[in-house]
C-alpha cells in the first residue's frame, strides 16, 4: 500500500460546488455572445460578470480606474442590476436560452492541475459575490474579461477626478452613473476619440483632447466628428499638473508649443490606451506574449482562441486589443512627457504612498521610518548594476504595487519607468505577475466555511514532521519521545 | 583563512547571511544564485523568529535587535510574540510549549483572553487565551534578504544573480571550483546553501544529502490598524502583521514536489480559502479586510526536519535549514562562517546537525513517509 503523508495536500482540496459544460467570465458583448452560442449548442452554461461592482471596491479603483467619479446610484445594488440588464439587451436572450447568469459575481482565481499542483481535483474557477465564495468546475472556460485602464501618473493625479477611459465608458454606458460634467481627455487615438464622442452623447462637456505627439493619432473620420463637435485638440502638449480642491480636480495645466495653458474641468480621463485584462489567465499560469499590435501583454492563443491552459480560451479585448504597431513606444512617449513635469514628490503608487523619488531611489516607504545612510547610497542604478530590472523585486523593496488596488494604478508606469531607467525598449519592459485572488476579496467571504473534515484533520501549522520541534538538548534523550508524542504531527 | 576565496551557492537567507559573516571576517566572497536574491522560500515565509528548539536560537536572539545597525539596512525586526488559542486542544498545546520555553530559560507568560486582546486587539473575543513570549519576534523576509545582500556587497562581496551553479568541481576530496554557464569560478572553500537544489549539487561530488521539497502557501490582506504585538500565531496559523498593517498568514497542508535544477513550480491553490477561514476565525474583527495576494514557497525538508550544518570533504560546508531558516538566519550564517573558517561553531554545540546522522537511512525513506508528489491526473 502506498503511504501518503497525512499532512500533505493530497485529496484535501474540495471538489467544485457545481459543474458546467461551459463557464464564461465577463458578460460584455463577446462573453454574452459566447454564452448564447454555447447554450444554442446544448451546453450547460454559466455566465458570470462582476458588475455591478460593490461601491467600496469601486472607491479603491478596482477593477477599473473610476477616480471617485461615480454618482450615488452605485450605492443601490438593486438599481444597478436593473440598469445593467437594461443596458445589455443580449442578456435577455441568454436568460431565455437557459444560461445561468450571475451578475455582481467576480472570478478571482483560475486553477489548473500542473506540476506543483497535482493535488487539484480538476480545473476550477473561484467565484465570489457580496456574501460568499465558491468553486465551479468546467469542461470549457471562456475568459472575456475585457480591458483595463492603462494608467500613468502626473502631479495631482492622486485626487478624485482623475480616471481611466474604460471606467468612464462603464460609468456612462453600463451604469449610467458618471458624476463629472466637464472632462479633459489624454490621448487622441481611437480610444480617446470614442471616449470623447461617448461623453458628448451623454451630455458631458469635453474641454479638450491632449496629445503628446504633433497630430491626432486616431481614425480620421472619428477625429473629424470630434472636431465638428467643437472639441479642441491640444497637440504636442502634455499635462503638467491637475489642480483641485475638496472635490478633486478643478483644472489641468498643460504645456505645449505655445507655453502653459489652464483648462477648467472636473475630470481628467486617461485615454492613452486600454490594455487586455489578463489577470485571471496570468495568475493561472497561462503562457503570455508581448504584442504591440494587440495592446501589450496578451495570452498566447491558437487559431481557435485556446490558451495554453486546457479547455480555456480567451476572446474579446482580453485576448488582444487592436493597436498601432508603435503602441508600446507611444505609451513610453507619454510616460517620458509626463515624467518631465513630475518631481520627486509625485506619487507613483497611491495605495502605498510611494513617490517617484522613493521608487527610483529604491527606498523603503516613508511610513517605515527606516532610512539609513547605507540605504541612501542605494538607488535604481546600483540595483541595475546587479542585474536586469525586476518589477517584483522593486515591489518588495519600495512597496509600489503592493496595495489594495493590487497594482492596477501603478503597474504600467512602474514597468515603463524601470524600462526607461535600464534603457530597455518598451517591449522588453519588466512585467510583474498576478496572483489569486485577482480581485481583493474580504477574508470572511473568501473563507471556505464548509471546509471538509479531511482538511481540518490533516492540518498542521507547518509540515507535521514529528521531530522538528524537539529542543536541541533533548534530541537523543528519552524526553524526545515525549515531545514528539505531544508536539509531533498536528502541531496547531 | 582571511583573504581566501569562498563561493556561496544560493542567495537565499542562509547563503547570504553566511556570505555576510564571511565578508566581515575578511574572506573574499562570491555568492551565486540561479535567479534574484532571496527569490525562493527565503522571501516567501512568515517572517517568524521564535525557533526556541534550535541550538542557534540564543545567538539569533542576541543578534536580531542589532541587525539593522550591523547590516546598515532595515529588516523591520519586532520583538515578542503572542500565540492565541481558539480551541481547548490548542490551549493545552500552547501551554505545553510555554512550559518547555520556561525549562529552556526563555521568559513566557500564560495569558487570559482579555490579555491576549490587549496585546493583539484584532483577536477574537472568543479566544481562550494563550501565551505571550517575551522573546522571539518577526521581521520582513523580503527586506531582510536584500539587506544581507547589500551588506555583503558593502564589505566587498560579489553577488552574481542569474548565475546558476551547474556543478561542483572536485580534485581529490576538495572542491576547487564551481562551474557556471559564465565559466568556472575557482575557490578555496564552498558553501552549498541552495535549498532544495543543495542535494543535486552535492550528489555530483558523491555526497548524499536526503532532502524532499514541498510547496507551502500563504495569504495576505490589506492593512489593518497596527496592533501592539503584531507577531500573533494560533489557530493552526503562523504569520504576522507587517509594519504596514497587512495580515500575512500561512499554515496547513503542503504539496510534495519534484525539484530539478532551475526555479521550482510554485502555484497557489484554493487552499487560500482554508487559510482565509482560519484567519477570519482568529481575527473576526478583520473579516472584512480584503485578501489581496496569495503566494507559495518551496521548502526543503530533511528526514527529521532538522538542519544540516556541517563541513564535509575538507572544504565543502552544507547549510540547509529544513524549512526553518529565516528567523535563525543571523545565527546560521555565523555558524556556517565558523565551519568554513575554523571548522567548528564558536558559540554553540551543533554536532547533532551533522550529515552523518543519516547514515543508514533507508533508501526509500521518502516512500516510507509519503513525502513524494501526487500523480498528475
Amino acid at each position: 500500500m502506498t503511504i501518503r503523508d497525512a499532512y500533505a495536500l493530497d485529496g484535501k482540496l474540495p471538489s467544485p460546488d457545481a459543474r458546467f459544460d461551459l463557464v464564461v467570465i465577463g458578460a460584455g458583448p463577446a462573453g454574452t455572445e459566447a454564452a448564447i452560442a454555447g447554450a444554442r449548442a446544448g451546453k450547460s452554461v454559466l455566465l458570470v460578470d462582476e458588475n455591478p461592482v460593490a461601491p467600496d471596491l469601486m472607491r479603491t479603483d478596482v477593477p477599473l480606474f473610476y477616480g471617485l467619479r461615480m454618482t450615488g446610484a452605485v450605492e443601490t445594488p438593486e438599481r444597478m442590476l436593473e440598469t445593467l440588464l437594461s443596458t445589455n439587451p443580449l442578456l435577455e436572450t441568454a436568460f431565455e436560452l437557459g444560461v445561468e447568469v450571475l451578475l455582481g459575481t467576480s472570478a478571482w482565481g483560475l486553477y489548473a492541475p500542473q506540476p506543483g499542483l497535482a493535488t487539484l481535483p480538476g480545473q476550477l474557477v473561484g467565484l465570489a459575490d457580496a456574501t460568499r465564495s465558491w468553486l465551479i468546475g468546467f469542461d470549457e472556460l471562456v475568459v472575456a474579461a475585457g480591458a483595463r485602464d492603462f494608467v500613468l501618473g502626473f502631479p495631482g493625479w492622486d485626487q478624485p477626478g482623475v480616471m481611466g477611459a474604460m471606467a468612464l465608458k462603464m460609468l456612462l454606458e453600463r451604469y449610467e452613473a458618471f458624476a463629472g460634467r466637464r472632462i479633459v481627455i489624454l490621448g487622441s487615438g481611437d480610444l480617446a476619440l470614442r471616449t470623447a464622442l461617448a461623453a458628448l452623447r451623454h451630455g458631458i462637456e469635453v474641454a479638450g483632447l491632449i496629445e503628446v505627439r504633433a497630430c491626432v493619432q486616431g481614425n480620421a473620420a472619428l477625429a473629424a466628428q470630434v472636431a465638428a463637435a467643437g472639441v479642441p485638440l491640444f497637440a504636442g502638449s502634455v499635462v503638467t499638473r491637475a489642480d483641485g480642491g475638496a472635490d478633486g480636480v478643478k483644472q489641468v495645466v498643460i504645456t505645449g508649443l505655445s507655453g502653459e495653458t489652464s483648462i477648467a474641468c472636473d475630470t481628467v480621463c486617461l485615454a492613452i490606451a486600454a490594455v487586455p485584462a489578463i489577470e485571471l489567465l496570468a495568475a493561472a499560469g497561462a503562457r503570455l506574449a508581448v504584442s504591440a499590435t494587440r495592446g501589450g501583454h496578451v495570452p498566447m492563443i491558437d487559431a481557435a482562441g485556446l490558451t495554453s491552459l486546457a479547455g480555456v480560451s480567451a476572446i474579446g479585448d482580453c485576448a488582444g486589443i487592436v493597436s498601432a504597431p508603435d503602441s508600446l513606444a507611444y505609451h513610453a512617449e507619454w510616460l517620458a512627457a509626463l515624467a518631465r513635469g513630475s518631481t520627486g514628490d509625485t506619487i507613483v503608487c497611491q495605495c502605498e504612498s510611494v513617490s517617484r523619488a522613493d521608487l527610483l531611489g529604491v527606498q523603503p516607504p516613508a511610513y517605515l521610518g527606516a532610512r539609513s545612510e547605507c540605504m541612501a547610497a542605494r538607488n535604481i542604478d546600483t540595483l541595475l548594476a546587479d542585474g536586469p530590472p525586476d518589477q517584483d523585486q522593486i515591489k518588495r523593496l519600495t512597496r509600489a504595487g503592493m496595495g489594495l488596488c493590487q497594482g492596477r494604478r501603478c503597474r504600467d508606469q512602474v514597468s515603463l519607468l524601470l524600462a526607461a531607467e535600464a534603457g530597455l525598449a518598451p517591449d522588453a519592459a519588466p512585467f510583474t505577475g498576478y496572483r489569486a485572488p485577482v480581485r481583493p476579496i474580504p477574508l470572511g467571504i473568501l473563507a471556505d466555511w464548509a471546509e471538509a473534515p479531511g482538511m481540518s484533520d490533516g492540518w498542521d501549522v507547518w509540515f507535521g514532521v514529528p521531530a522538528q520541534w524537539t529542543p536541541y538538548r533533548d534530541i537523543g534523550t528519552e524526553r524526545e519521545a515525549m515531545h514528539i508524542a505531544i508536539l509531533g504531527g498536528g502541531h496547531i | 583563512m582571511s583573504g581566501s576565496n569562498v563561493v556561496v551557492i544560493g542567495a537565499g537567507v542562509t547563503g547570504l547571511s553566511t556570505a555576510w559573516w564571511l565578508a566581515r571576517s575578511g574572506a573574499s566572497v562570491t555568492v551565486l544564485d540561479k535567479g534574484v536574491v532571496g527569490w525562493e522560500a527565503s522571501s516567501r515565509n512568515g517572517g517568524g523568529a521564535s525557533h526556541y528548539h534550535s541550538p542557534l536560537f540564543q545567538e539569533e536572539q542576541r543578534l536580531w535587535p542589532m541587525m539593522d545597525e550591523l547590516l546598515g539596512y532595515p529588516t523591520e525586526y519586532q520583538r515578542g510574540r503572542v500565540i492565541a488559542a481558539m480551541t481547548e486542544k490548542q490551549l493545552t498545546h500552547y501551554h505545553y510549549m510555554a512550559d518547555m520555553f520556561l525549562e529552556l530559560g526563555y521568559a513566557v507568560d500564560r495569558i487570559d483572553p482579555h490579555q491576549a486582546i490587549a496585546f493583539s486587539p484584532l483577536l477574537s473575543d472568543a479566544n481562550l487565551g494563550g501565551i505571550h513570549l517575551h522573546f522571539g519576534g518577526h521581521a520582513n523576509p523580503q527586506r531582510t534578504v536584500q539587506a544581507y545582500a547589500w551588506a555583503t556587497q558593502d564589505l566587498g562581496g560579489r553577488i552574481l544573480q542569474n548565475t546558476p551553479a551547474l556543478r561542483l568541481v572536485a580534485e581529490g576530496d576538495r572542491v576547487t571550483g564551481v562551474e557556471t554557464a559564465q565559466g568556472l569560478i575557482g575557490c578555496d572553500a564552498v558553501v552549498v546553501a541552495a535549498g532544495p537544489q543543495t542535494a543535486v549539487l552535492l550528489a555530483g561530488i558523491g555526497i548524499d544529502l536526503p532532502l524532499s521539497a514541498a510547496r507551502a502557501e500563504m495569504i495576505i490582506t490589506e492593512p489593518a490598524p497596527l496592533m501592539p504585538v503584531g507577531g500573533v500565531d494560533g489557530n493552526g496559523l503562523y504569520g504576522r502583521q507587517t509594519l504596514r498593517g497587512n495580515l500575512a498568514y500561512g499554515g496547513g497542508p503542503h504539496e510534495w514536489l519534484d525539484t530539478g535544477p532551475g526555479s521550482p513550480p510554485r502555484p497557489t491553490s484554493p487552499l487560500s480559502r482554508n487559510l482565509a477561514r482560519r484567519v477570519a476565525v482568529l481575527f473576526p474583527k478583520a473579516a472584512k479586510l480584503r485578501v489581496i495576494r496569495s503566494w507559495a514557497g518551496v521548502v526543503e525538508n530533511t528526514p527529521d526536519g532538522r538542519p544540516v550544518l556541517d563541513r564535509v570533504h575538507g572544504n565543502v560546508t552544507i547549510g540547509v535549514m529544513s524549512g526553518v531558516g529565516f528567523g535563525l538566519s543571523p545565527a546560521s550564517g555565523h555558524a556556517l562562517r565558523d565551519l568554513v573558517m575554523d571548522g567548528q561553531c564558536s558559540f554553540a554545540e551543533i554536532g547533532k546537525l551533522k550529515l552523518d546522522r543519516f547514515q543508514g537511512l533507508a533508501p526509500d525513506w521518502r516512500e516510507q513517509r509519503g513525502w513524494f508528489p501526487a500523480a498528475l491526473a
Side-chain angles (χ1 to χ4, degrees):
Chain A
M1 197 186 114
T2 309
I3 297 166
R4 297 305 301 168
D5 170 10
Y7 300 101
L9 201 48
D10 309 48
K12 294 192 177 73
L13 289 174
S15 297
D17 297 75
R19 288 194 66 83
F20 288 84
D21 295 335
L22 171 64
V23 174
V24 180
I25 308 300
T32 311
E33 276 167 28
I36 288 170
R40 288 205 165 116
K43 294 172 186 168
S44 62
V45 183
L46 173 66
L47 173 62
V48 301
D49 193 288
E50 65 191 313
N51 296 293
V53 174
D56 61 333
L57 205 50
M58 295 180 81
R59 283 190 281 274
T60 66
D61 292 324
V62 177
L64 300 173
F65 186 26
Y66 306 101
L68 289 176
R69 279 294 180 257
M70 308 80 81
T71 64
V74 301
E75 304 293 335
T76 317
E78 305 78 36
R79 193 171 138 197
M80 288 320 309
L81 268 176
E82 272 175 43
T83 309
L84 286 168
L85 289 172
S86 72
T87 53
N88 185 359
L90 272 178
L91 279 178
E92 200 169 323
T93 312
F95 279 123
E96 283 165 8
L97 288 165
V99 172
E100 182 163 345
V101 181
L102 296 177
L103 301 183
T105 302
S106 61
W108 49 266
L110 172 59
Y111 299 99
Q114 57 187 286
L117 194 47
T119 54
L120 197 72
Q123 288 181 305
L124 299 172
V125 60
L127 304 179
D129 63 17
T131 61
R132 68 182 185 116
S133 72
W134 67 101
L135 300 171
I136 292 290
F138 56 85
D139 292 330
E140 288 173 69
L141 182 117
V142 173
V143 182
R148 66 171 175 84
D149 288 306
F150 172 82
V151 182
L152 298 178
F154 49 87
W157 78 290
D158 51 332
Q159 65 181 319
V162 179
M163 68 181 305
M166 299 313 294
L168 179 59
K169 180 181 160 79
M170 189 63 82
L171 291 182
L172 286 173
E173 297 180 350
R174 299 280 310 277
Y175 283 61
E176 297 176 350
F178 176 55
R181 302 303 313 155
R182 182 178 158 88
I183 69 174
V184 164
I185 294 173
L186 305 195
S188 73
D190 288 356
L191 176 70
L193 297 169
R194 290 208 170 92
T195 301
L197 294 170
L200 292 167
R201 270 200 308 280
H202 285 81
I204 309 297
E205 204 180 334
V206 181
L209 268 58
I210 317 294
E211 173 52 51
V212 71
R213 287 183 174 170
C215 61
V216 71
Q217 297 296 298
N219 172 290
L222 287 174
Q225 281 183 58
V226 172
V231 175
L233 171 75
F234 299 88
S237 300
V238 70
V239 171
T240 7
R241 66 175 196 272
D243 298 327
D247 298 322
V249 175
K250 285 181 173 169
Q251 67 165 11
V252 289
V253 177
I254 66 170
T255 306
L257 300 173
S258 53
E260 236 179 48
T261 314
S262 297
I263 308 174
C265 61
D266 55 41
T267 301
V268 180
C269 178
L270 287 151
I272 298 161
V275 286
I278 60 168
E279 52 265 45
L280 190 65
L281 290 165
R287 283 220 291 276
L288 306 176
V290 186
S291 165
T293 56
R294 289 166 66 202
H297 280 90
V298 288
M300 291 178 76
I301 51 174
D302 65 13
L306 280 168
T307 67
S308 63
L309 305 171
V312 177
S313 50
I315 59 170
D317 282 354
C318 76
I321 298 169
V322 176
S323 307
D326 68 344
S327 66
L328 301 181
Y330 181 60
H331 301 171
E333 279 171 52
W334 264 105
L335 176 98
L338 291 171
R340 280 195 292 276
S342 298
T343 65
D345 294 338
T346 305
I347 290 294
V348 172
C349 170
Q350 293 193 28
C351 294
E352 300 295 304
S353 308
V354 181
S355 70
R356 193 181 155 78
D358 287 347
L359 185 88
L360 297 179
V362 199
Q363 296 296 306
Y367 57 76
L368 279 180
R371 305 299 168 87
S372 68
E373 219 170 283
C374 297
M375 201 60 247
R378 295 281 171 179
N379 56 47
I380 189 68
D381 295 328
T382 64
L383 197 69
L384 288 174
D386 292 337
D390 185 316
Q391 192 168 352
D392 287 313
Q393 189 182 23
I394 289 287
K395 272 167 74 175
R396 294 166 164 209
L397 295 174
T398 66
R399 294 196 64 83
M402 295 284 251
L404 179 52
C405 87
Q406 300 180 311
R408 284 177 171 79
R409 294 180 295 202
C410 73
R411 65 157 47 232
D412 297 309
Q413 51 181 324
V414 171
S415 166
L416 288 172
L417 275 166
L418 292 178
E421 289 296 319
L424 298 174
D427 63 355
F431 173 76
T432 179
Y434 291 92
R435 323 262 187 80
V438 297
R439 295 291 181 271
I441 311 276
L443 277 169
I445 288 179
L446 185 62
D448 180 6
W449 292 107
E451 181 177 286
M455 180 65 84
S456 311
D457 297 346
W459 189 281
D460 189 277
V461 69
W462 195 224
F463 277 78
V465 179
Q468 186 151 39
W469 310 111
T470 304
Y472 183 78
R473 69 179 188 191
D474 290 343
I475 294 174
T477 71
E478 69 266 24
R479 287 167 59 84
E480 187 171 11
M482 174 182 77
H483 293 310
I484 288 175
I486 298 176
L487 294 179
H491 184 71
I492 45 178
Chain B
M1 280 185 62
S2 181
S4 63
N5 286 313
V6 185
V7 170
V8 177
I9 303 175
V13 75
T14 305
L16 288 169
S17 175
T18 307
W20 174 67
W21 278 99
L22 287 165
R24 275 162 59 90
S25 301
S28 169
V29 188
T30 303
V31 185
L32 307 180
D33 197 276
K34 63 181 166 48
V36 178
V37 295
W39 204 247
E40 301 291 351
S42 291
S43 64
R44 296 168 192 274
N45 58 74
S50 310
H51 301 109
Y52 64 90
H53 60 284
S54 171
L56 308 176
F57 188 59
Q58 281 193 351
E59 175 69 352
E60 178 217 298
Q61 291 289 290
R62 181 182 76 84
L63 288 165
W64 263 119
M66 298 186 272
M67 289 308 283
D68 281 24
E69 204 184 326
L70 289 173
L71 295 169
Y73 301 95
T75 64
E76 299 183 33
Y77 175 72
Q78 302 286 300
R79 197 170 191 88
R81 199 137 194 114
V82 164
I83 309 181
M86 294 304 300
T87 66
E88 287 293 343
K89 188 182 169 203
Q90 289 168 3
L91 190 64
T92 307
H93 192 116
Y94 302 157
H95 284 166
Y96 182 87
M97 289 165 64
D99 293 344
M100 201 163 56
F101 299 156
L102 285 172
E103 259 187 48
L104 293 166
Y106 302 122
V108 59
D109 299 318
R110 292 189 180 196
I111 53 175
D112 66 25
H114 299 290
Q115 290 170 307
I117 289 170
F119 283 124
S120 304
L122 292 173
L123 277 170
S124 171
D125 291 339
N127 88 77
L128 301 179
I131 59 178
H132 173 234
L133 286 59
H134 295 251
F135 60 96
H138 59 97
N140 179 332
Q142 302 174 344
R143 227 172 271 297
T144 302
V145 284
Q146 191 69 61
Y148 282 124
W150 282 339
T152 301
Q153 288 179 330
D154 290 344
L155 293 169
R158 289 195 303 163
I159 315 266
L160 302 182
Q161 300 185 127
N162 307 305
T163 308
L166 303 175
R167 195 168 70 85
L168 301 176
V169 178
E171 274 173 30
D173 71 344
R174 295 182 69 81
V175 166
T176 55
V178 180
E179 195 178 296
T180 74
Q182 286 87 334
L184 182 75
I185 300 177
C187 62
D188 301 315
V190 66
V191 178
V192 192
Q197 277 89 31
T198 305
V200 181
L201 286 164
L202 291 176
I205 54 167
I207 297 173
D208 183 20
L209 172 67
L211 285 183
S212 196
R215 181 179 62 76
E217 300 186 34
M218 295 189 73
I219 59 171
I220 189 164
T221 70
E222 65 180 295
L226 286 182
M227 301 188 286
V229 175
V232 191
D233 291 336
N235 201 31
L237 298 166
Y238 63 87
R240 66 188 186 114
Q241 180 177 41
T242 69
L243 289 189
R244 170 71 168 114
N246 317 73
L247 302 175
Y249 279 88
H254 46 274
E255 178 150 339
W256 294 103
L257 306 173
D258 279 324
T259 50
S263 213
R266 38 180 150 68
T268 58
S269 79
L271 186 69
S272 296
R273 300 178 68 223
N274 308 90
L275 288 166
R277 184 177 79 82
R278 277 168 179 74
V279 178
V281 167
L282 187 62
F283 302 116
K285 296 156 204 162
K288 290 200 162 90
L289 288 186
R290 293 175 181 276
V291 178
I292 53 177
R293 283 185 297 280
S294 64
W295 70 88
V298 174
V299 176
E300 82 287 354
N301 288 269
T302 64
D304 56 13
R306 296 171 188 150
V308 175
L309 301 175
D310 198 1
R311 194 167 108 183
V312 295
H313 263 44
N315 68 345
V316 179
T317 301
I318 304 171
V320 293
M321 297 301 291
S322 195
V324 185
F326 175 73
L328 293 165
S329 63
S332 62
H334 189 183
L336 289 163
R337 171 250 164 246
D338 289 352
L339 290 179
V340 171
M341 301 196 85
D342 310 322
Q344 62 178 3
C345 179
S346 63
F347 60 87
E349 191 284 305
I350 58 169
K352 295 175 196 172
L353 304 181
K354 290 172 82 69
L355 177 60
D356 63 11
R357 70 183 189 270
F358 296 123
Q359 271 176 13
L361 183 75
D364 64 345
W365 67 275
R366 281 186 195 79
E367 287 72 21
Q368 287 182 13
R369 289 166 173 76
W371 288 13
F372 53 89
L376 195 59

